Amino acid sequence: MLENLNLLRAFWGLFFIFWTAFNTAVVDLVGSEQQIPLSVVKLWASAFGGEIKSIAAKYSGSQLLQKKYKEYEKDVAIEEIDGLLLVKKLAKNMEEMFHKKSEAVRRLVEAAEDAYLKHEFDADLQYEYFNAVLINERDEEGNYLELGKEFILVPNDHFNNLPVNISLSDVQVPTNMYNKDPAIVNGVYWSESLNKVFVDNFDRDPSLIWQYFGSAKGFFRQYPGIKWEPDENGVIAFDCRNRKWYIQAATSPKDVVILVDVSGSMKGLRLTIAKQTVSSILDTLGDDDFFNIIAYNEELHYVEPCLNGTLVQADRANKEHFREHLDKLFAKGIGMLDIALNEAFNMLNEFNHTGQGSICSQAIMLITDGAVDTYDTIFAKYNWPDRKVRIFTYLIGREAAFADNLKWMACANKGFFTQISTLADVQENVMEYLHVLSRPKVIDQEHDVVWTEAYIDSTLPQAQKLADDQGLVLMTTVAMPVFSKQNETRSKGILLGVVGTDVPVKELLKTIPKYKLGIHGYAFAITNNGYILTHPELRPLYEEGKKRRKPNYSSVDLSEVEWEDRDDVLRNAMVNRKTGKFSMEVKKTVDKGKRVLVMTNDYYYTDIKGTPFSLGVALSRGHGKYFFRGNVTVEEGLHDLEHPDVSLADEWSYCNTDLHPEHRQMTQLEAIKRYLTGKEPLLQCDKELIQEVLFDAVVTAPIEAYWTSLALNKSENSDKGVEVAFLGTRTGLSRINLFVGPEQLTNQDFLTAEDKENIFNADHFPLWYRRAAEQIPGSFVYSIPFSTETANKSNVVTASTAIQLLDDRKSPVVAAVGIQMKLEFFQRKFWTASRQCASLDGRCAISCDDESISCYLIDNNGFILVSEDYRQTGNFFGEVEGAVMNKLLTMGSFKRFLVEFNLCSWWHSDLTAKAQRLKQTLEPCDTEYPAFVSERTIKETTGNIVCDDCFKSFVIQQIPSSNLFMVVVDNECFCDSVPPITMAPIEIRYNESLKCERLKSQKIRRRPESCHGFHPEENARECGGVSGLTAEPPFVLLPLLLTIFSR
């Protein structure tokens, strides 16, 4: 019993020791927690919010403007926008515009074919033409060079002030071709007749830009004439026959299997030439084509093993992927061509039955240094007598020992044979197959109109000269083939070339009335392959973050920009030319991609008749679905448009000033004034838009006098903290007032043409307008403009608020107003407010001056506007206070979004084949870009964070009538174990099997409506410069061959 009692005493003694130690630890831990009184932070936030809103409202004139619009409330009519009706109307407008371009091209086709019909080839023809490289060039004695006569060039504003000749075209000949080759000279001579058609087309449709004829012989006639400059090596690599518009117009869609001999005899230069030949063939394939590449010796080696037994679309990404794998090929072993031919025929046959390919032409391209047999049994099994698969053979090297067998294979299968001895021979010899594939189309005399997706041809001189000034110009091309109509050449199907004209994407945007689409609304168009023709996200607004906004363009799928449509519902409906509606929640990045707007969009779509395009319109729910009409007299409106502070959106089309040369120098404001006063009866203007502009001019006019009175009052703004006041309306009308001299502005670029995101553009409203529209009515949105440089050096704060016509949710946002102030002025107001306290004796229990706490002012996207460390201004809060930001995300005060979930491919310009492959790699990956948004319903929050050995407390309090939050953080507890939260993009890497699945996956596409794969009258004996078959096929095949060639 005594022993048990001693044990019990010992137990309770130990328990007491542990209990004391535990309580001491708890007291120490709790004692380390800094208590931040919520009431004090609320007082600071209220004081700062009241002060800064008073300043913003006063200097912007927001209350005056709201009052003025209210006065007209009974005189306006509010309409809900009918999205389907709108998209159909826009599609009709685009159809008419595209038709005009097509008719211009059709006139060129007729003129070219007539000129060739009347021309007789003269091998000795001497003709001095205007060579685009040599024009205006003189020798050392001052005499004009041969083919370089004087060619008058005058800057023309319609052609971006480039020096051009609008009376004549000139001719570019690739560097690797002889300027005075008889075929070139004859072609240039008969195509000279196109000059008068070029000029006539331009007179009929002054909105036309570059018109051209790309000859099958390689020369390129361009109007208006312009000077071409060689590169630093004295070379002009441009060959019109390699351009997408040429290839699409000249041939029908095709499935192609490329067989490359990698046997031991192909070592060294031969393999190098073979790889270049494959690469050149890839250059000639377009988005409507499908292909695969097989290397063979005694075994088959798929260049991309993942794609064994199938074909893939010849889009930019797939072609570059295969190019990379070509470098891994090496030569060894024995060439077993029969195995390769069997595989190619089987693959084409099976792929054709899937219904996925071109369902038109099929071809096998054989690249080898010889063939020991004619392999007639294989052709008899798979291809005769219909010969649906053409065989193109390329003999690599100078030896001709096996040439006859290769010639026979090509000729017996409606193909073509060429011999390639050097790298310089590759380009011209590869081009021969295009002429063969064009034969059925030529014999049919089918002038199919083709349209390309959006691209930039940066090899053209006009693009190169523009690049330094304003960036490369995005465009689409309409093209048609030109055929020989001479009866004696009918069965040969001679393609003379392709004519085309460029249509800048900005021309398409002019047909879209931005004012009817609302603040966040936009229109977009895609091709039959789902690739973008025009979309606001296709237009880079800044240079920083190349992966976020790729610098060049082509083959960008709609799913890359409307990425929330995971199941491609919208994309596929548009590809299939449906008419309908689709809705989804979207997250649109703004402000150099660092902020996100979350909204619900309604999409309306329909097809554009006579083109391969479909058009879509996106309208945001809420205010974006409503439009209102005001009404004032022309006299009232004109009077208020005369104010010097009024400007209109330059890229909006109030009046079409492109139709007549005398109008091109006019600003839109000048055009409206002259139109309304009857001084320019030929001007075509949007009457509805102009009426609304006049209304907005009248309603906003009083604010000018209001701003002037503030500026003249010396007691106001004495420290010049507020520098600019501005407003914008739904019609693109802007007013600006400076409270300081222009030279004193802290941000010199604000609201200028250089500040793209903050002015009205063809496809978006200003950033400050868009963000204000998403704020609660009556509140201001504040932000620090992000610098385009790595370090954010902005020294200003922008504040803006939206003006609504009515008080309910169906009210359209009619305008937005704002101010820009010095950051130092803004921060001073914050620190003054944060020193206030409610105690009667004036002694504050806590202050932002205390070292024990840190005070921040952040916006609704988590960016710091005020910090005790000035260097943190503009940074993301999570990078500075990772533990606190992590807690805010956990508590739901902030939400994290992952946006722009895109394939890491690139948007490209139509470069030369060599330039395309410089320093470019393609790796299948997805990239997620984080963005953060505060939860609107949360006004204040307190929190404690458990760190390693302490609790870290914080308070977050919303600033009234704003998008801002005051955050006060305990400084005495360090949470180093919690990493910072950054906005760095996250790349998701895929294993090999997933990469393979991505390569195999093919999105829905719609084939071109026409196909010209074969024609019974085609002369298949034109197969490689030989008059007949020089090889001697086995005797038993002669009856079969006679049957074949009779077809």
Side-chain angles (χ1 to χ4, degrees):
M1 184 74 181
L2 183 62
E3 186 178 335
N4 289 341
L5 185 62
N6 288 334
L7 284 170
L8 190 61
R9 285 173 179 170
F11 169 79
W12 282 110
L14 285 169
F15 176 82
F16 179 78
I17 291 170
F18 280 118
W19 183 84
T20 305
F22 174 78
N23 276 278
T24 304
V26 170
V27 168
D28 288 343
L29 188 63
V30 174
S32 69
E33 179 185 338
Q34 171 75 29
Q35 295 298 325
I36 303 170
L38 178 60
S39 59
V40 174
V41 178
K42 186 179 287 189
L43 173 68
W44 294 343
S46 178
F48 175 68
E51 172 75 0
I52 206 66
K53 183 184 179 182
S54 173
I55 292 169
K58 178 178 181 179
Y59 285 93
S60 68
S62 60
Q63 291 169 336
L64 171 65
L65 193 60
Q66 182 71 69
K67 179 185 174 186
K68 288 298 175 186
Y69 271 103
K70 280 285 186 184
E71 290 175 3
Y72 285 88
E73 186 177 329
K74 294 179 181 179
D75 300 325
V76 302
I78 296 178
E79 302 172 5
E80 185 169 0
I81 299 169
D82 184 330
L84 275 178
L85 192 65
L86 177 61
V87 77
K88 288 176 181 177
K89 183 177 179 181
L90 295 184
K92 185 65 179 175
N93 292 345
M94 282 196 174
E95 178 191 336
E96 291 171 0
M97 188 269 286
F98 284 135
H99 180 71
K100 286 176 68 176
K101 311 301 180 189
S102 300
E103 286 304 300
V105 170
R106 198 177 302 278
R107 286 190 287 271
L108 287 171
V109 169
E110 292 170 359
E113 291 181 348
D114 288 345
Y116 180 77
L117 187 61
K118 297 171 185 174
H119 177 73
E120 289 187 14
F121 184 85
D122 180 358
D124 299 318
L125 178 64
Q126 299 293 313
Y127 180 61
E128 281 284 316
Y129 61 91
F130 290 109
N131 184 292
V133 178
L134 300 175
I135 53 172
N136 300 330
E137 295 288 333
R138 298 175 185 264
D139 59 22
E140 295 177 356
E141 297 176 359
N143 299 316
Y144 285 112
L145 297 179
E146 192 175 20
L147 303 182
K149 298 176 291 183
E150 181 182 12
F151 192 74
I152 297 171
L153 297 171
V154 178
N156 189 298
D157 57 311
H158 183 63
F159 296 92
N160 298 100
N161 283 319
L162 294 174
V164 296
N165 187 318
I166 59 171
S167 300
L168 293 169
S169 60
D170 57 4
V171 175
Q172 176 265 343
V173 180
T175 305
N176 64 341
M177 301 183 75
Y178 178 41
N179 279 329
K180 304 192 84 175
D181 181 283
I184 298 283
V185 174
N186 275 267
V188 170
Y189 179 78
W190 67 256
S191 65
E192 215 36 62
S193 62
L194 294 179
N195 273 323
K196 61 183 180 182
V197 187
F198 286 142
V199 174
D200 180 57
N201 277 343
F202 190 40
D203 287 341
R204 291 179 188 224
D205 180 4
S207 67
L208 279 174
I209 54 168
W210 310 100
Q211 303 173 65
Y212 37 81
F213 168 62
S215 167
K217 301 299 181 185
F219 71 83
F220 181 69
R221 180 178 289 281
Q222 183 180 19
Y223 171 89
I226 190 171
K227 173 79 171 170
W228 286 57
E229 302 288 350
D231 62 19
E232 62 274 11
N233 300 315
V235 173
I236 291 182
F238 178 88
D239 189 322
C240 61
R241 297 168 298 176
N242 253 349
R243 310 273 75 69
K244 275 191 174 185
W245 51 267
Y246 186 99
I247 296 164
Q248 280 183 235
T251 63
S252 292
K254 50 198 170 290
D255 300 333
V256 176
V257 177
I258 304 172
L259 302 179
V260 190
D261 184 353
V262 289
S263 62
S265 62
M266 288 287 289
K267 284 182 179 177
L269 179 60
R270 288 185 180 182
L271 187 59
T272 302
I273 294 172
K275 289 178 181 178
Q276 184 59 45
T277 302
V278 174
S279 189
S280 292
I281 291 171
L282 292 180
D283 285 336
T284 66
L285 301 181
D287 297 322
D288 292 323
D289 303 323
F290 291 78
F291 77 103
N292 204 337
I293 306 173
I294 302 174
Y296 71 91
N297 39 36
E298 61 267 29
E299 296 178 346
L300 298 180
H301 309 276
Y302 277 86
V303 169
E304 172 47 81
C306 157
L307 296 171
N308 188 322
T310 189
L311 276 69
V312 292
Q313 189 176 7
D315 61 23
R316 166 78 174 170
N318 287 336
K319 289 192 291 186
E320 289 303 320
H321 181 78
F322 273 81
R323 278 198 176 99
E324 291 171 26
H325 283 63
L326 283 178
D327 294 334
K328 300 173 185 176
L329 296 181
F330 56 92
K332 69 172 185 178
I334 302 167
M336 304 291 286
L337 178 55
D338 55 336
I339 301 174
L341 284 171
N342 274 294
E343 180 76 3
F345 275 114
N346 279 321
M347 181 161 47
L348 286 171
N349 183 50
E350 290 172 11
F351 190 70
N352 193 44
H353 281 104
T354 66
Q356 290 183 318
S358 67
I359 317 295
C360 192
S361 299
Q362 291 194 317
I364 295 172
M365 310 288 204
L366 174 59
I367 301 164
T368 180
D369 61 351
V372 295
D373 192 3
T374 56
Y375 302 100
D376 39 84
T377 55
I378 295 175
F379 298 130
K381 176 182 178 181
Y382 292 105
N383 208 35
W384 293 346
D386 294 333
R387 296 187 290 171
K388 288 293 180 69
V389 179
R390 297 179 189 267
I391 307 294
F392 296 93
T393 54
Y394 300 88
L395 177 62
I396 306 298
R398 298 183 185 280
E399 290 80 4
F402 300 106
D404 285 347
N405 285 343
L406 291 174
K407 288 177 187 176
W408 187 87
M409 281 190 266
C411 295
N413 293 280
K414 286 190 175 181
F416 201 85
F417 163 83
T418 61
Q419 184 167 2
I420 304 176
S421 304
T422 68
L423 284 168
D425 298 335
V426 172
Q427 176 86 354
E428 202 61 31
N429 281 293
V430 165
M431 288 295 164
E432 292 291 347
Y433 97 87
L434 291 177
H435 301 151
V436 175
L437 289 184
S438 69
R439 282 179 193 159
K441 181 181 282 194
V442 179
I443 297 170
D444 281 335
Q445 295 287 298
E446 288 288 343
H447 294 91
D448 298 325
V449 180
V450 300
W451 292 87
T452 68
E453 79 273 17
Y455 74 102
I456 299 167
D457 198 337
S458 61
T459 57
L460 291 172
Q462 59 266 28
Q464 293 171 345
K465 290 175 183 177
L466 284 174
D468 295 336
D469 300 329
Q470 54 185 259
L472 298 167
V473 177
L474 191 63
M475 60 192 173
T476 178
T477 295
V478 55
M480 289 175 67
V482 180
F483 308 140
S484 167
K485 288 185 173 180
Q486 294 174 353
N487 286 331
E488 60 270 24
T489 64
R490 178 172 171 78
S491 65
K492 295 180 180 179
I494 296 176
L495 175 75
L496 301 179
V498 174
V499 293
T501 183
D502 296 333
V503 183
V505 165
K506 66 180 182 181
E507 185 77 11
L508 308 183
L509 296 176
K510 287 180 180 177
T511 66
I512 300 168
K514 180 68 182 115
Y515 70 102
K516 283 194 175 177
L517 303 181
I519 299 164
H520 303 298
Y522 54 90
F524 58 99
I526 65 170
T527 70
N528 59 298
N529 284 302
Y531 296 141
I532 291 170
L533 178 67
T534 177
H535 192 290
E537 295 297 309
L538 191 66
R539 178 177 169 184
L541 302 176
Y542 54 91
E543 292 300 316
E544 157 183 81
K546 295 295 185 187
K547 278 191 176 176
R548 194 185 286 269
R549 292 284 186 276
K550 305 166 193 177
N552 301 311
Y553 318 75
S554 189
S555 302
V556 182
D557 198 272
L558 182 65
S559 59
E560 289 192 59
V561 292
E562 298 289 352
W563 53 270
E564 294 94 342
D565 181 17
R566 305 284 185 185
D567 298 323
D568 288 338
V569 176
L570 172 66
R571 177 197 178 277
N572 293 347
M574 294 183 68
V575 165
N576 290 321
R577 300 179 73 79
K578 305 283 188 186
T579 297
K581 176 187 175 184
F582 174 71
S583 302
M584 65 180 175
E585 184 180 87
V586 296
K587 302 168 189 71
K588 294 297 181 184
T589 54
V590 296
D591 207 358
K592 302 179 174 64
K594 295 187 177 182
R595 304 184 189 277
V596 64
L597 297 176
V598 182
M599 62 193 77
T600 299
N601 276 356
D602 290 328
Y603 295 85
Y604 304 90
Y605 49 86
T606 192
D607 63 316
I608 304 173
K609 302 279 189 299
T611 76
F613 307 136
S614 288
L615 179 68
V617 164
L619 301 176
S620 62
R621 293 257 179 100
H623 57 73
K625 298 294 290 288
Y626 297 93
F627 176 75
F628 86 93
R629 302 177 191 277
N631 192 26
V632 293
T633 66
V634 170
E635 291 72 25
E636 283 180 289
L638 271 176
H639 175 267
D640 290 325
L641 275 179
E642 294 291 342
H643 291 189
D645 70 330
V646 172
S647 62
L648 294 178
D650 281 343
E651 294 184 12
W652 288 24
S653 191
Y654 302 85
C655 294
N656 191 340
T657 54
D658 284 335
L659 291 179
H660 300 282
E662 62 270 22
H663 297 155
R664 289 183 186 141
Q665 297 295 335
M666 290 183 188
T667 65
Q668 288 292 321
L669 193 54
E670 290 170 340
I672 289 174
K673 291 175 184 176
R674 297 184 73 82
Y675 169 74
L676 291 174
T677 54
K679 294 179 181 178
E680 294 290 345
L682 294 178
L683 269 172
Q684 294 183 13
C685 299
D686 186 331
K687 295 179 182 179
E688 185 179 8
L689 175 55
I690 289 177
Q691 179 59 46
E692 299 311 311
V693 166
L694 295 178
F695 178 81
D696 286 351
V698 170
V699 178
T700 61
I703 207 165
E704 183 185 13
Y706 174 82
W707 283 338
T708 302
S709 66
L710 282 177
L712 293 176
N713 190 338
K714 299 296 182 183
S715 64
E716 299 285 357
N717 200 30
S718 56
D719 55 1
K720 300 191 183 304
V722 179
E723 297 187 334
V724 187
F726 52 87
L727 73 80
T729 75
R730 82 251 147 80
T731 57
L733 180 144
S734 299
R735 293 181 185 269
I736 302 171
N737 183 79
L738 301 184
F739 293 114
V740 297
E743 70 288 345
Q744 296 176 291
L745 284 173
T746 305
N747 182 357
Q748 294 284 334
D749 289 339
F750 185 55
L751 302 177
T752 65
E754 286 72 32
D755 188 16
K756 290 289 186 186
E757 277 203 301
N758 280 310
I759 60 174
F760 287 95
N761 276 316
D763 48 19
H764 67 77
F765 275 59
L767 174 63
W768 46 266
Y769 200 130
R770 285 180 284 166
R771 293 193 65 208
E774 296 312 300
Q775 280 291 113
I776 296 170
S779 64
F780 279 81
V781 58
Y782 301 85
S783 63
I784 294 180
F786 291 110
S787 170
T788 53
E789 301 171 20
T790 306
N792 186 20
K793 298 177 181 177
S794 181
N795 292 313
V796 293
V797 174
T798 303
S800 60
T801 187
I803 307 297
Q804 287 192 302
L805 191 64
L806 306 175
D807 295 327
D808 61 32
R809 62 183 298 274
K810 292 187 176 182
S811 172
V813 173
V814 294
V817 293
I819 61 170
Q820 191 165 89
M821 61 192 117
K822 292 178 183 175
L823 177 60
E824 177 272 330
F825 168 80
F826 179 82
Q827 292 181 338
R828 189 164 10 106
K829 298 294 182 185
F830 175 81
W831 293 122
T832 300
S834 69
R835 294 188 180 97
Q836 296 188 24
C837 58
S839 61
L840 296 175
D841 60 3
R843 294 183 180 181
C844 302
I846 191 169
S847 165
C848 283
D849 293 331
D850 295 350
E851 293 185 2
S852 60
I853 62 172
S854 289
C855 296
Y856 303 93
L857 185 70
I858 67 173
D859 66 20
N860 61 313
N861 298 118
F863 293 102
I864 298 172
L865 283 81
V866 182
S867 170
E868 292 160 36
D869 183 348
Y870 185 79
R871 293 170 298 178
Q872 294 172 350
T873 304
N875 290 352
F876 180 60
F877 182 66
E879 296 172 359
V880 178
E881 295 280 359
V884 178
M885 192 69 207
N886 185 62
K887 187 69 173 180
L888 291 172
L889 289 168
T890 305
M891 297 165 66
S893 299
F894 272 78
K895 289 183 179 179
R896 182 174 185 263
F897 294 100
L898 294 174
V899 296
E900 295 189 57
F901 188 78
N902 296 329
L903 178 70
C904 297
S905 58
W906 52 82
W907 300 359
H908 85 286
S909 52
D910 197 353
L911 302 170
T912 61
K914 182 178 179 182
Q916 283 177 0
R917 292 185 287 280
L918 290 178
K919 299 180 182 178
Q920 292 188 342
T921 58
L922 178 67
E923 190 167 347
C925 69
D926 281 327
T927 307
E928 297 175 332
Y929 296 90
F932 301 83
V933 179
S934 64
E935 176 56 56
R936 281 190 173 185
T937 59
I938 295 177
K939 305 299 181 186
E940 59 190 33
T941 301
T942 60
N944 290 306
I945 306 162
V946 180
C947 301
D948 293 336
D949 56 357
C950 59
F951 286 111
K952 188 180 187 73
S953 63
F954 67 89
V955 172
I956 179 169
Q957 177 70 50
Q958 186 177 39
I959 306 295
S961 302
S962 79
N963 66 318
L964 303 177
F965 296 88
M966 187 174 195
V967 188
V968 182
V969 181
D970 165 24
N971 257 353
E972 295 187 347
C973 175
F974 296 98
C975 266
D976 296 334
S977 59
V978 181
I981 294 175
T982 72
M983 297 190 69
I986 305 159
E987 287 193 2
I988 304 169
R989 301 290 169 175
Y990 294 93
N991 60 34
E992 290 303 317
S993 63
L994 282 174
K995 285 182 183 179
C996 184
E997 287 304 312
R998 293 178 67 87
L999 278 172
K1000 284 183 177 178
S1001 64
Q1002 294 187 14
K1003 289 184 177 291
I1004 288 176
R1005 51 184 291 279
R1006 184 170 40 80
R1007 295 181 192 86
E1009 293 176 0
S1010 66
C1011 168
H1012 306 277
F1014 302 92
H1015 198 285
E1017 295 179 26
E1018 182 181 344
N1019 181 2
R1021 298 191 183 191
E1022 293 286 329
C1023 54
V1026 288
S1027 57
L1029 301 179
T1030 57
E1032 297 181 4
F1035 178 77
V1036 294
L1037 284 176
L1038 285 177
L1040 179 58
L1041 288 173
L1042 289 172
T1043 303
I1044 291 170
F1045 283 109
S1046 67
R1047 285 180 167 266

